[in-house]
Amino acid sequence: MEVANVENVTKIYKVGKVETQALRGVSLTIQNGEFTALVGPSGSGKTTLLQLIGCLDQPTSGKVWINGKDVSQLNRNQRADIRRGTIGFVFQFFALIPTLTAYENIELPLLLNGVSAAERRKRVEQLLKAVDMAERAHHRPDQLSGGQQQRVAVARALATDPSLILADEPTANLDTPNGRQVMEIMQRLNEETGVTFVFATHDPRVIQFARRVIALQDGLIAQNGVVEKAHAGA
Amino acid sequence: MNTLLKMAWRDLGRNRRRSFFSALALGVGMALLLFIASFIEGEMRGSMESTIKLSSGHLQIRVKTYTEDKTSLAFEDLIENPERIAAQVAALPPVRAATPRLYASGIISKGSDIVGVRVVGVDPTSPANAPFRDGIVNGGYLNPDDRDGILIGQELAKKMRLASGDSINLLINTSNGDVDEQMFTIRGIFYTNAPGIDEFYALMPISKAQAITRAPNRASTIFVLLQDRFQTPAVVNTLQTSQYKVWTFDELNPLYVQTEQLYTGYIFLIYLIVLAITAAVIVNTLIMAVFERTREIGILAAIGMKGWRIMTMFFVESSLLAVGGILIGLALGCVTVWVTSQTGIFIGNMGVSGLLIGERIFPFLTLEDTITLTGMAFVITLLAGLYPALLAAQMEPVTAMRGGKN
């Protein structure tokens, strides 16, 4: 089953009179349960493509479907609804809310979804355990290491049980052991829960974890294929 | 809502000093307004109290043709048998005191000093004249049968360098249009805290005033004090006759009424100016908060927080600032008002004719002013939070996560 479908998408950014074409007609399909890497050098369009699949932005032309629904022309609030219910995000900078504890950061998407207090507590505790952060639950981000923060971010992305998790350079600001730990957790969760992961990276150590790699160059797909050696990074 | 409240509270705590000073700005502004409101209220209350007590009473009964500014002594303008009428009025339950007064224009002279005065013939035994008796600062009070005794105010005594026991010459108008003069002895000097009275009033027993003005058994007015000011309309209806007109406080003191209306308008304007200045501080604080937290706003939007919730979060922050500022303002304002109301604020002789303003103002804070100001401060702070909240709510998540740069 398709989680995301991108059809001939272009994206042009305008800064003043200068136009930059980030995507030049990209088409791809993401199937349920994939663990896919979007790779390519800086400026190749990885982040832009993730943002379009994640309903954070709208394409200049082309269509994006999420779970069979065309999200290309939705307004800001409609896109927020899709994100809240369907998509989880992990960002390069450890995008936690600094005034909330690890527990509260994970709880936030559940609150936005109107989940009851008892269910929230159960879910947050389960996720904290899953990312091995139960003992740091009541610490705020500034009391956590980069790796710990990113694990909390992964847990938050999973909180609402989304069908798709998009991670933009999730290990870029982590050292090798922490980066590896985060990737292992993501891989484990993908296998255990079946949630689809798509992550943008240009780090070869991360790419090794992917079961499918889509390479972008100059806003176009240069290569799209399944990695022969599954679990290469494990 | 709990989480929004928690986030807003903690966000304010991130930059405690800035949040404190923003709340303090609102607090100081509010304290200032509370003080201004209490000062004006104190001034108007003091003025009303002095006016009722010393000058106009709650009501006055006069012959319809009597005009106060001419201080007419013509028989047709005066009340005949005033003692009897005063006794009848005093018998009404809402009436605390009713006493006749006879007004005349006069000139007091001693040596080369000459000053125009308003001679008031009073019944020294009436409780309505107690403020003069209680205000004696030098010498004694009048006896009802005193034939050559007079009381003057402290300001007049200072101006003419007079003390009790001194003799002065009084030139006074009479009912037949002539003038008469007589030497009087100053029995006492009174102080009422109303320069308008202390500088111009000269009191003598009404029987003596009737004799010297050739207006026997007559008075200019029946001065009436009620148990409660709000009983005025009922008493007016009872007393109204075809021969006499009953004058209410508002009719007797048009300048007071106009001044009160003017102050009401002015103070509202002052409220708006001061609160607008403090609102600017709040706007600045919240805009800085929005720009500092642009990336976080992007994250919140990315995880599905809708614009209205982001807006609410900033509204909660401005509400918390408002509550903090209001509490500071109430504390500062109430302490300031309490301290100054104990000692009074000396303003001296304002020299306003037609309005009795004490030389010392005792600020008085009403519950109504406090509630109005609290409500205004809260609403204006919330309005101040509107623009920053909209700014935050309208950010595109992608732009916001890049720190607001396109």
Side-chain angles (χ1 to χ4, degrees):
Chain A
M1 187 186 156
E2 290 173 4
V3 178
N5 190 9
V6 176
E7 189 183 285
N8 201 23
V9 156
T10 68
K11 180 67 186 178
I12 298 170
Y13 292 110
K14 283 183 188 170
V15 181
K17 290 179 181 173
V18 180
E19 285 191 354
T20 307
Q21 195 158 10
L23 293 175
R24 297 165 184 271
V26 170
S27 297
L28 66 88
T29 301
I30 307 288
Q31 298 291 337
N32 195 23
E34 279 191 23
F35 199 72
T36 298
L38 284 177
V39 302
S42 288
S44 59
K46 307 186 294 290
T47 300
T48 303
L49 185 55
L50 275 191
Q51 286 169 350
L52 295 180
I53 296 171
C55 300
L56 290 171
D57 207 352
Q58 288 174 303
T60 307
S61 68
K63 299 240 181 238
V64 177
W65 282 271
I66 300 295
N67 288 337
K69 183 180 169 95
D70 182 1
V71 296
S72 320
Q73 301 303 321
L74 298 182
N75 65 30
R76 196 202 316 246
N77 277 336
Q78 289 168 326
R79 280 186 283 133
D81 286 335
I82 296 281
R83 289 196 298 274
R84 204 173 59 241
T86 317
I87 305 167
F89 293 94
V90 180
F91 298 102
Q92 175 183 344
F93 51 90
F94 321 120
L96 300 178
I97 302 302
T99 49
L100 299 181
T101 62
Y103 184 102
E104 290 163 344
N105 263 288
I106 299 169
E107 190 186 26
L108 190 58
L110 296 166
L111 274 167
L112 297 178
N113 270 9
V115 177
S116 71
E119 265 188 72
R120 284 202 310 266
R121 191 168 57 246
K122 193 174 151 195
R123 181 76 177 141
V124 174
E125 282 169 1
Q126 182 191 358
L127 286 165
L128 280 164
K129 216 170 164 183
V131 297
D132 198 19
M133 283 295 293
E135 288 184 4
R136 312 285 284 171
H138 299 292
H139 288 70
R140 290 200 195 168
D142 60 0
Q143 298 164 323
L144 300 175
S145 70
Q148 288 171 329
Q149 287 186 52
Q150 203 61 310
R151 274 144 59 193
V152 174
V154 170
R156 184 183 64 190
L158 281 158
T160 55
D161 205 10
S163 45
L164 176 62
I165 290 182
L166 303 171
D168 188 8
E169 306 273 9
T171 60
N173 288 328
L174 299 177
D175 57 21
T176 303
N178 274 309
R180 187 178 182 84
Q181 191 183 15
V182 167
M183 286 312 297
E184 283 171 354
I185 287 171
M186 282 168 50
Q187 191 177 52
R188 177 164 50 81
L189 291 168
N190 167 256
E191 286 167 359
E192 286 174 5
T193 64
V195 65
T196 310
F197 275 83
V198 178
F199 47 95
T201 185
H202 55 258
D203 183 346
R205 291 166 301 177
V206 174
I207 298 167
Q208 287 175 358
F209 282 86
R211 290 203 298 275
R212 180 186 173 195
V213 174
I214 300 166
L216 285 165
Q217 190 155 13
D218 298 329
L220 288 168
I221 292 180
Q223 195 184 337
N224 184 356
V226 175
V227 176
E228 291 299 327
K229 193 175 77 176
H231 308 289
Chain B
M1 191 63 197
N2 261 347
T3 302
L4 287 181
L5 187 66
K6 201 187 288 177
M7 286 169 77
W9 174 252
R10 290 178 186 173
D11 280 328
L12 287 174
R14 279 193 210 183
N15 199 329
R16 287 194 182 89
R17 192 178 299 175
R18 188 176 67 199
S19 302
F20 171 73
F21 279 111
S22 299
L24 186 66
L26 177 64
V28 169
M30 198 173 145
L32 180 69
L33 291 179
L34 284 171
F35 178 71
I36 292 172
S38 70
F39 184 86
I40 290 175
E41 183 67 27
E43 182 183 353
M44 294 313 288
R45 272 178 185 251
S47 174
M48 180 187 260
E49 203 177 298
S50 298
T51 307
I52 289 171
K53 200 168 63 175
L54 303 167
S55 167
S56 73
H58 289 112
L59 298 172
Q60 285 193 25
I61 302 166
R62 296 172 178 171
V63 171
K64 284 187 173 172
T65 53
Y66 181 84
T67 48
E68 189 175 19
D69 50 345
K70 290 180 184 164
T71 321
S72 171
L73 286 166
F75 277 16
E76 64 269 25
D77 294 332
L78 299 179
I79 298 171
E80 200 172 356
N81 295 320
E83 298 288 347
R84 184 174 53 83
I85 295 170
Q88 285 172 352
V89 173
L92 294 171
V95 175
R96 181 149 54 92
T99 183
R101 283 185 178 175
L102 181 65
Y103 297 111
S105 300
I107 294 170
I108 286 178
S109 60
K110 182 178 170 60
S112 59
D113 290 334
I114 301 171
V115 172
V117 293
R118 183 173 216 211
V119 177
V120 188
V122 298
D123 173 7
T125 62
S126 169
N129 296 314
F132 296 105
R133 185 191 62 215
D134 299 341
I136 295 291
V137 290
N138 182 245
Y141 192 53
L142 293 168
N143 286 319
D145 54 355
D146 198 334
R147 308 310 295 169
D148 61 355
I150 196 166
L151 295 182
I152 61 169
Q154 195 177 40
E155 288 292 312
L156 181 59
K158 273 187 195 165
K159 198 188 273 185
M160 295 188 72
R161 296 179 299 279
L162 295 171
S164 63
D166 288 353
S167 292
I168 48 109
N169 184 60
L170 174 69
L171 196 68
I172 192 165
N173 287 332
T174 63
S175 62
N176 55 17
D178 289 339
V179 288
D180 199 352
E181 67 178 315
Q182 188 185 318
M183 292 299 288
F184 282 85
T185 301
I186 294 171
R187 298 278 180 245
I189 292 167
F190 58 82
Y191 168 76
T192 63
N193 185 38
I197 297 285
D198 294 350
E199 200 172 346
F200 296 112
Y201 271 36
L203 271 59
M204 65 177 65
I206 190 165
S207 54
K208 177 62 188 174
Q210 287 166 341
I212 195 170
T213 58
R214 316 249 198 290
N217 201 25
R218 282 180 166 79
S220 309
T221 183
I222 307 292
F223 177 96
V224 182
L225 291 177
L226 302 177
Q227 306 285 2
D228 184 338
R229 187 162 65 93
F230 300 104
Q231 291 168 318
T232 300
V235 178
V236 169
N237 286 336
T238 312
L239 294 178
Q240 211 70 260
T241 67
S242 58
Q243 192 182 355
Y244 303 118
K245 173 167 171 52
V246 182
W247 293 73
T248 63
F249 175 86
D250 287 356
E251 289 168 329
L252 289 164
N253 302 285
L255 189 60
Y256 177 91
V257 176
Q258 285 166 8
T259 307
E260 196 172 39
Q261 286 167 351
L262 191 71
Y263 272 154
T264 307
Y266 266 140
I267 200 162
F268 194 72
L269 194 65
I270 294 170
Y271 283 177
L272 287 181
I273 291 169
V274 174
L275 288 176
I277 293 168
T278 55
V281 176
I282 304 279
V283 171
N284 185 46
T285 301
L286 291 176
I287 285 180
M288 282 170 75
V290 168
F291 285 131
E292 278 170 6
R293 303 206 311 260
T294 301
R295 186 169 281 186
E296 280 167 54
I297 294 166
I299 296 164
L300 291 170
I303 63 172
M305 191 181 263
K306 284 187 177 175
W308 69 265
R309 271 194 202 255
I310 294 173
M311 208 166 148
T312 307
M313 191 172 75
F314 279 89
F315 262 130
V316 173
E317 273 187 47
S318 53
S319 304
L320 289 173
L321 276 179
V323 169
I326 286 167
L327 289 177
I328 293 172
L330 285 174
L332 281 178
C334 289
V335 167
T336 310
V337 171
W338 184 80
V339 169
T340 51
S341 68
Q342 297 304 301
T343 55
I345 299 166
F346 183 78
I347 59 162
N349 184 357
M350 295 289 282
V352 183
S353 62
L355 197 63
L356 285 184
I357 298 175
E359 61 181 19
R360 196 167 278 277
I361 304 278
F362 293 87
F364 187 92
L365 187 58
T366 64
L367 185 64
E368 189 190 344
D369 281 338
T370 311
I371 291 171
T372 306
L373 262 170
T374 303
M376 277 183 80
F378 193 77
V379 169
I380 286 181
T381 311
L382 278 194
L383 288 177
L386 188 64
Y387 173 65
L390 272 173
L391 202 66
Q394 285 177 346
M395 282 184 178
E396 282 291 345
V398 172
T399 314
M401 279 191 293
R402 279 198 294 262
K405 297 179 192 113
N406 280 311

